[in-house]
Amino acid sequence: GAQVRKEQLLIELDSDVQRDSFSRVASEVLLLEQRLLRNPADQTARAALLGLRAQKRHAEAQLLARQVRAPTEGRVLDVHLRLGQHLQPGDVIASIAAPDSFSITAMLPGYARPALAVGGMLRVELDGYRYHYLDVSVQEVTTEVLGPELARRTLGVQVADSLQLEGPLALVKAALPKQGFRYD
């Protein structure tokens, strides 16, 4: 339920190794800079400093890569992560709803993928609201057909564990026209 700003730090993954590496290289850079201040003609220190500055930038990039920042402003809906969990690239770790923006994620049979396109329309009927249809605009479509396991990882642990997924699937995200709807 927390409100987040775009680029706000959400999660920092275990980064002790990267932090130690950055601290070590930063200390070496500082020592060489001090050495150069005492003797500006020292070409050995100057050459070593160039290499160390590149190492420092690389270590800093590795440290930043261990941080997960909010891609957009909004409200955190759900965190799909627990302490000590191992992550793979592409794992969904949190859901953030943009202000006044609501969407639905649907899993369709893989054979329907060629007929799906961003900007297209889908007609959705929600369980429990028979014959009440919502026309929604497609915002995202997976570029390929996914197997059940990859679809689970894409949806996130808390959502996917409650679903029975079989066969090839196409995931579609669509914008809901408004926050609610009238029924009867």
Side-chain angles (χ1 to χ4, degrees):
Q3 291 287 53
V4 295
R5 298 176 317 280
K6 185 175 182 169
E7 296 299 318
Q8 180 178 338
L9 179 64
L10 298 176
I11 298 169
E12 186 169 2
L13 303 174
D14 184 16
S15 55
D16 291 340
V17 173
Q18 290 79 7
R19 194 174 295 107
D20 291 345
S21 175
F22 177 77
S23 296
R24 179 187 54 78
V25 173
S27 296
E28 290 178 27
V29 166
L30 184 62
L31 288 173
L32 274 176
E33 286 173 341
Q34 290 171 350
R35 184 172 152 188
L36 269 175
L37 285 173
R38 276 184 248 134
N39 183 6
D42 187 348
Q43 294 303 319
T44 308
R46 190 173 302 281
L49 185 59
L50 287 175
L52 277 175
R53 283 184 176 155
Q55 285 181 22
K56 182 180 175 186
R57 284 191 301 273
H58 178 72
E60 185 175 25
Q62 285 189 323
L63 194 57
L64 290 174
R66 308 289 293 176
Q67 297 177 346
V68 178
R69 296 187 174 274
T72 184
E73 175 186 356
R75 184 173 54 89
V76 177
L77 296 179
D78 201 5
V79 176
H80 311 280
L81 187 63
R82 62 187 177 281
L83 190 62
Q85 177 180 342
H86 290 279
L87 297 174
Q88 299 296 323
D91 284 352
V92 176
I93 60 170
S95 301
I96 299 175
D100 300 327
S101 168
F102 297 90
S103 66
I104 185 169
T105 300
M107 292 177 294
L108 301 174
Y111 64 79
R113 172 60 191 95
L116 300 170
V118 173
M121 297 298 286
L122 285 178
R123 178 164 275 193
V124 177
E125 179 183 23
L126 300 175
D127 282 345
Y129 300 95
R130 194 167 179 179
Y131 303 120
H132 183 78
Y133 302 105
L134 298 174
D135 292 321
V136 296
S137 173
V138 175
Q139 293 177 318
E140 296 175 27
V141 181
T142 51
T143 55
E144 60 218 13
V145 174
L146 308 175
E149 191 54 40
L150 185 54
R152 269 190 190 83
R153 283 200 311 251
T154 303
L155 289 171
V157 176
Q158 291 174 331
V159 173
D161 285 349
S162 63
L163 301 174
Q164 254 187 321
L165 303 179
E166 295 177 5
L169 301 164
L171 266 60
V172 178
K173 183 177 178 183
L176 292 173
K178 51 190 169 186
Q179 222 174 342
F181 60 90
R182 290 185 86 90
Y183 182 73
D184 279 344

